[in-house]
Every structure is written in C-alpha cells, then in structure tokens.
Amino acid sequence: MERETLVKVDHVGKKFCRDLKRSLWYGVQDLTSEFLGMNSGENTELRSKEFWAVKDISFEVKRGECLGLIGRNGAGKSTLLKMLNGLIRPDKGRIEMNGRIGALIELGSGFNPILTGRENIYNNGSVLGLNKREIDAALDEIIEFSEIGKFIDTPVQYYSSGMKVRLGFSVAVHMKPDVLILDEVLAVGDSGFRMKSFNKINEIMRNAAVIFVSHSMPHIATITNKILLLEKGIADYYGEDVSEGIDRYFSEFSGYNPRIEYNDFAQLDELNIQPSTIYTEQSKNSIPLIDYNDELVVNLRLKADPKYKELHIKFLITDKDLKNVGIYDSFHLDEAIMNTNGWMDVEVRVPNCIFINGEYAVTIFVQDRDKVNKRWNMLACYRYWRKFKVRASKGLGVVPSVVYLPGKLHQSIEV
Amino acid sequence: MERRVYTPHSNIRKPWLMFGEMLRDIRSGQDLAVRLTIRDIKALYRQSFLGLLWAFIIPLGNTVTWIFLNGSGIVSLGDTGIPYPIYVFTGTMIWAVFSESLLAPIKKINANKATIAKVNFPREAIVMSAIYESLFNAIIKILILVVAVAAMGYSGSWSLLLLPVGILSLVLAGTAIGLVLTPIGTLYSDISKGLPLLLQFLMYTTPVVYAIPDGGLTGKIVNNNPLTPLVCTARDWLTGQPTPFLEGYLWVNLGTIIILAFMMVVFRLAIPILVERMNA
C-alpha cells in the first residue's frame, strides 16, 4: 500500500530582519498590508537589512517515515519548524500538513510553576489540543511514563529541570499525533529516560510522520530514514542516504583547528601520517587515507630540553564529534625515546586501525615522567595537529557509530 | 483527516474560509480558554495571603482618598445624587472592572508569550480567557459591592437583576479597547507604558469620582464620552436610581460588539506576524 504523504513542503522561503527596530517597523507594515489584503502572494523582494532565513526548501514526509533535519546553529531549522507548525507564515511557497500535529519545540512550555504537576498535565494537554476526556484516559500512562511518582501533586517550581522535561515529553507523546515534530528534545534528561524516549518515538513513528531535529548524529543515524541538511537556509542535501547527509554535515565544519597549545620544553618539526598503500595516489596533497584494519604509521621529528632524559609520546585520536576515540601512549607500552639533545626522528606504528569510516584528528603530547614525585611533566602539546581519514576498502564500517568487530564463526555439525 | 495549508497569501482574501476557521477555533478553543482561565486565577491567588480580598482593597483605598478630598473641601465634586461615599465607592469598583478588562488582553498575551511562540493552539482561546478572567474578577467585585451598598441602605430593588448585563457590557467594552491596542502593544512596549496615563485620562473624563458637571467644556466631554453611559447605567442599576443614559448605553453596546468582532479578526491575522517578532 502506498503510504500517504502527511507533510508536503513546496519551495518555501522566509525572510527575517537583522535589525530589531527595523524589524518591529516592518511588523507594523506587515500588519497593515495583511489587513488590507495586500499580501497577494510572493513577497520576494528583500527590504533593507532583510535576508532569507529559509530559502526555496521542498520536501515530503510520508506516514512511517522519519526525516532528520540537520544543520549548524542558525541554518534555519527552527524557522522551518515554526512554519510547519503554523506559528509563522511563509513568505514564499506552500506548506501542506495533514492530520493532528504534535510539536515538541520546547518541552514544558506553558507549565505554570505554581501549579502542581497534575494540574499542569491538564493545562499542557489542552494547549496541545487534547480535550479533558482524552487527558483523563491517558493520565495514568503519562504520570507513569514521566517517572514523576508521588511528586505529581507538588508545584512544578520545585521540580528539577529533568523532571520538568520528562513531564513535558510524556504529555506530548501521549497525544497520538499523525505528524510529530521534535526539536532537539532528547538532548535533555538522563540516559535511561533518553532510551525510553527513543523507544517511544519509534513506536509513534510506525503510525506517524516524524520530523526530528538534532545535533547528535548518532541519534540521527539510528532513527531517521531521510535527511534534509540545511546550510544558511538552503538545502545542502536532501535524500534517503542518511550517512551521506551526515558526512556532508560534518564536512561543513572546518573542524578542529590545529594549534600549538604548549611547546616550551619540546618542539615538533615534522609529523606525517602515512596513507595505506592502496590509497597512496588519492592521498596526495590531501588528508591521508587509511584502510580499515590497516597499520597506522606516524613519523615525527622532535627536539626536547636536555634536562629531560626520557621522553614519552602520546597520541589522542578525536573524531568529528570531538569525542576521544583512541589513545596511543608509549609509557603505557613501556617504551620511551632517549633524548639525544638534538633533532630526533621517530616512527610510531599502531598495528590495527579499527576506527569506523570518518575523519579523525591527532593531538600529540610529549611528556616526561618524574619517577621520584610520580607525576607527569608536560613538555609539549600540539592540539588536533594532523588529520587522517579512515575508509574501508571492503565495504566495512559504513554505518556511523558502529565498529565492525573481528570474529570467527564456528559451527559444530552433528552427523 | 484535517488538512492545513500555509501560504503567504492574506487569509482576508478568502473571508468566508477565514470566518469558518475562526468560528471552529473559537469553539474548539473553548475548553482551553476555560482551562487557561482557571490556571491563571489559581496561580494568582495561590501565592497570596489576602487572596480574593485584593479585589476590593485597592478600590477601597481610592474611595477613602476621594472621601477625604471631598470632605476637606480641597476639590469640589458636585452633587452626586446619592451619598458621596456610596457614589465614589461604586464608581471606583465599576471603573476597576472596566480598566482591568482593558489591560487583560495585553497581559494575557505577555503571560503566555512562550506558549504562543512555540505551540499552535486556537489563538481565540487567549481572548476568551481574557474575557473570562475579567468576568470572574468582576463578579467578585460586584458581590462585594452589592453587599456593601445594601449595608448602607441603598440596594437597588429589581434593577439589581440588570446589573450583570451592565457588568458584561463593561467587560466587553474594556476587552474591545484592549484588543485594539494589542497588536501594536505587543510589538512596542510604549503602549504598555502609556496605558496607565490613558486610563487616568479616561477616568477623569468619566463620572467615576465626581458628578457630571452641568455645563462647560468638561460637561460636554463627559456627556459625550461613550464610557459615561456604561459606568452611570451600571451604577444606577446597582443603587436603584433612574437611568438617564439608557439610550446611549444601548448604542455603546452595539458599537462594542462591532469593534469586538472586528478586532477578533484583526487579532487572528496579526498573531503570526507578532510571533515572528516575539522570540520568547
């Protein structure tokens, strides 16, 4: 059966004004032209100090689909959501929304701090479009899901921020929407509740069209099956290849800027990461490519203050999310560099590079171990000094956030 | 399944469709309006020790001030027909009903800014809730008034039955004027800042604390002020006096209903434009 299209967005655009005073004045003008019926359609002229916050966006979401809306801060995501939710009107194009719309743009908006959790469930529910009977029916489930327990009859002002969020989320997901708009709502709450929320969203998704906004790419990768990447109001990518969309999102960041954090007692001269042999050609004049499970070879040239006799090298490997994914530490492996008081050439070999596809940065530390006082002396730190990319040649590691584990299969067959 | 379409076109270009949607929203927003009203009233009194007493503490204070001014002879307030303390107490209470109703729409919008900017619900519920809350506050005041006036021996016999109508007129008139100021008032804070001044001016051109002067410019202004019939008729019904302004009262009500209906349309059209600049 062909699934029905619940959200249809057609060449939509929205202008905003940078200047507050002017924006208010334009507001007065817009009010006037609205009442006189002068807004005949395409207001495509930009007035002074205006810009397109969202420009020429088109997409569709069907029942059972989840669209991931990603982009940097200020890319136009929230503006687009506000238009979808009918809070503000587009200046161009057309938006069609079918069925009951549930939007979680900010959880617990409309909570009154003086009233109790229970009273707020009723208030919030009716703001979201439920009548009293429907709320009565869902009340126990809402309270149970929110894990508020006996605090339900306590004024909301005494709730922790996590409790408020849980209550807000719980009310919103129990309204059985056809279209569910989620704006960055899973960023809050503890991980236990987050898991629960995920499952709930998955459950709702079966019967609804979901639009999910998040800066957390692992979340996007797990629950969406379509991506719209916004950059300065324009669609940079729209399609069903989720990992392609995520990749492009990451490449929008010039990333971690390499910088020398500290080099008072040791200096690096050169540092090279060798690309895998199969990628030698492709890696010329660009970031070295390493094959999955291949050897990671780093060559460096360094010099240190003569007062330190033994030097330790440490690499900290960071992914695009700035998450530390690996550490190499020579001290850990009982190895050290003897200080010759001149320039020294060193090669470090890490046998298996088992990172998933993506770009990584290497931070280099040069350290000295003070054995008497049992402490570390930092000699140099070169933050995000070099980058490398992992690309699996055998089609492994294509799913972001998952490491492919080595393993052997053995089947015992009884005759 | 319900379908919503959003385009840049002014909704006013399809008036019938817009009125249909508006009536539907007023109906479906009813539940919400009641709930918002109960919420705000509860919240208003829960953190207060004196609670409902505030409904007449301030008018009572004003009354005492004016009785003092009148008694000391600093100002001459004319012949009020009924004993001055009753005249000024009923006047300030009735005026408070009107002025609170006038402030209610802007107050409601500001109190619910965050919700309006983030959740799409029938916007009419805000206006309805403003009216309900004003009515609730008015009823409290009127109960106090009726008891107080009766205690002073001036209970208006059968005309008391008409008093609720008079109060409803005051609330609707206040809300209508409040709604006229709301769209611009939401954009520019100048409106909220200037409102107390406007209210003061209106009060002194309405027979609230003094009797209508016989002639002169002031007499003319007061006699032609559309608020005069509203305030005087309500007071006359309350105290059981003849109602010389009855005809004017009916005309003012007709005007109020027209303005109110018109402003509901304006309000509906204005909200998306205001939300854009609200940023709560």
Side-chain angles (χ1 to χ4, degrees), chain A residues 14 23 25 35 37 39-41 85 87 89-90 93 95-99 106 115 119 122-123 126-127, chain B residues 1-10 12-13 35 39 42 46 117-118 120-121 123 266 276-277:
Chain A
K14 181 79 206 169
S23 162
W25 179 239
F35 303 140
N39 288 345
S40 55
N85 201 16
L87 296 171
R89 291 235 316 263
I95 297 172
E96 188 185 310
M97 306 286 284
N98 292 296
E106 188 165 301
L115 303 184
E119 288 167 321
Y122 280 95
N123 296 334
S126 59
V127 167
Chain B
M1 199 158 42
E2 193 190 340
R3 162 174 298 193
R4 298 169 197 236
V5 175
Y6 306 116
T7 62
H9 303 265
S10 276
I12 211 161
R13 296 187 143 227
R35 202 147 271 297
R39 180 193 77 178
K42 267 188 185 169
R46 196 164 285 187
K118 274 153 196 153
N120 193 357
F121 58 90
R123 294 349 188 148
V266 171
E276 243 174 74
R277 278 133 185 122

Side-chain angles (χ1 to χ4, degrees), chain B residues 40-231:
Chain B
D40 290 348
I41 291 171
K42 267 188 185 169
L44 191 63
Y45 292 114
R46 196 164 285 187
Q47 270 200 335
S48 153
F49 180 69
L50 293 173
L52 290 176
L53 290 179
W54 282 109
F56 81 105
I57 290 177
I58 291 169
L60 195 64
N62 281 334
T63 306
V64 172
T65 313
W66 282 101
I67 291 173
F68 169 75
L69 288 177
N70 190 37
S72 67
I74 299 168
V75 285
S76 158
L77 301 164
D79 178 23
T80 52
I82 50 176
Y84 185 72
I86 297 183
Y87 186 86
V88 71
F89 186 56
T90 50
T92 44
M93 287 288 259
I94 287 169
W95 183 257
V97 168
F98 170 78
S99 62
E100 279 178 21
S101 311
L102 191 150
L103 295 172
I106 288 194
K107 226 176 74 189
K108 276 275 171 193
I109 294 263
N110 282 330
N112 291 294
K113 234 177 190 171
T115 319
I116 295 170
K118 274 153 196 153
V119 187
N120 193 357
F121 58 90
R123 294 349 188 148
E124 279 73 16
I126 299 269
V127 182
M128 306 302 289
S129 158
I131 294 177
Y132 293 160
E133 197 178 325
S134 302
L135 277 176
F136 175 84
N137 290 335
I139 288 167
I140 303 274
K141 287 196 179 67
I142 293 319
L143 287 179
I144 294 166
L145 257 186
V146 169
V147 172
V149 171
M152 290 190 262
Y154 265 85
S155 98
S157 52
W158 60 269
S159 65
L160 269 183
L161 295 174
L162 285 170
L163 186 59
V165 182
I167 294 306
L168 184 66
S169 307
L170 281 163
V171 167
L172 292 183
T175 311
I177 300 175
L179 273 180
V180 171
L181 300 171
T182 301
I184 305 294
T186 314
L187 290 178
Y188 290 101
S189 58
D190 306 51
I191 301 286
S192 301
K193 293 213 166 72
L195 264 182
L197 198 66
L198 175 77
L199 275 170
Q200 225 166 47
F201 174 77
L202 284 178
M203 187 175 115
Y204 290 127
T205 52
T206 313
V208 175
V209 292
Y210 57 80
I212 303 172
D214 280 331
L217 183 64
T218 331
K220 231 179 195 161
I221 293 175
V222 173
N223 268 312
N224 286 307
N225 179 353
L227 296 173
T228 302
L230 286 182
V231 171

Side-chain angles (χ1 to χ4, degrees), chain A residues 12 41 49 60-61 86 96 103 216 261 271 335 341:
Chain A
V12 160
K49 292 206 175 154
E60 280 185 8
V61 193
E96 188 185 310
S216 160
E261 225 155 69
L271 187 124
E335 286 185 318
N341 302 342

Side-chain angles (χ1 to χ4, degrees), chain A residues 20-188:
Chain A
L20 174 71
K21 279 268 158 69
R22 205 174 276 259
S23 162
L24 294 178
W25 179 239
Y26 287 158
V28 176
Q29 290 180 355
D30 289 348
L31 284 171
T32 325
S33 61
E34 178 80 28
F35 303 140
L36 300 178
M38 273 154 43
N39 288 345
S40 55
E42 314 291 271
N43 314 318
T44 44
E45 300 270 308
L46 285 182
R47 291 171 286 193
S48 154
K49 292 206 175 154
E50 276 192 327
F51 66 100
W52 288 101
V54 168
K55 195 175 183 184
D56 207 28
I57 300 292
S58 303
F59 65 87
E60 280 185 8
V61 193
K62 294 189 170 71
R63 201 183 280 280
E65 278 186 335
C66 178
L67 176 83
L69 184 55
I70 56 177
R72 291 198 237 185
N73 292 334
K77 302 185 297 290
S78 295
T79 308
L80 185 56
L81 289 192
K82 281 190 177 175
M83 283 192 282
L84 292 181
N85 201 16
L87 296 171
I88 57 178
R89 291 235 316 263
D91 285 321
K92 202 176 161 297
R94 182 175 188 276
I95 297 172
E96 188 185 310
M97 306 286 284
N98 292 296
R100 180 188 241 169
I101 296 151
L104 274 74
I105 292 195
E106 188 165 301
L107 292 174
S109 52
F111 275 173
N112 188 309
I114 304 173
L115 303 184
T116 68
R118 191 187 300 274
E119 288 167 321
N120 270 305
I121 290 178
Y122 280 95
N123 296 334
N124 209 352
S126 59
V127 167
L128 293 174
L130 297 173
N131 59 38
K132 185 167 182 306
R133 209 184 51 243
E134 288 170 300
I135 302 172
D136 281 336
L139 185 68
D140 290 334
E141 220 180 315
I142 291 173
I143 296 174
E144 202 204 296
F145 188 86
S146 67
E147 299 169 18
I148 299 285
K150 57 179 192 275
F151 291 102
I152 196 66
D153 290 313
T154 306
V156 165
Q157 61 182 342
Y158 299 131
Y159 281 21
S160 71
S161 49
M163 285 161 86
K164 275 183 227 163
V165 165
R166 294 204 307 257
L167 191 61
F169 183 83
S170 187
V171 176
V173 293
H174 283 92
M175 61 178 289
K176 300 191 177 67
D178 292 299
V179 179
L180 182 63
I181 300 173
L182 299 164
D183 187 2
E184 206 52 83
V185 288
L186 292 178
V188 278

Side-chain angles (χ1 to χ4, degrees), chain B residues 258-272:
Chain B
I258 293 171
I259 295 176
L260 201 59
F262 179 73
M263 285 321 293
M264 287 292 265
V265 175
V266 171
F267 184 76
R268 187 180 174 84
L269 294 172
I271 282 289

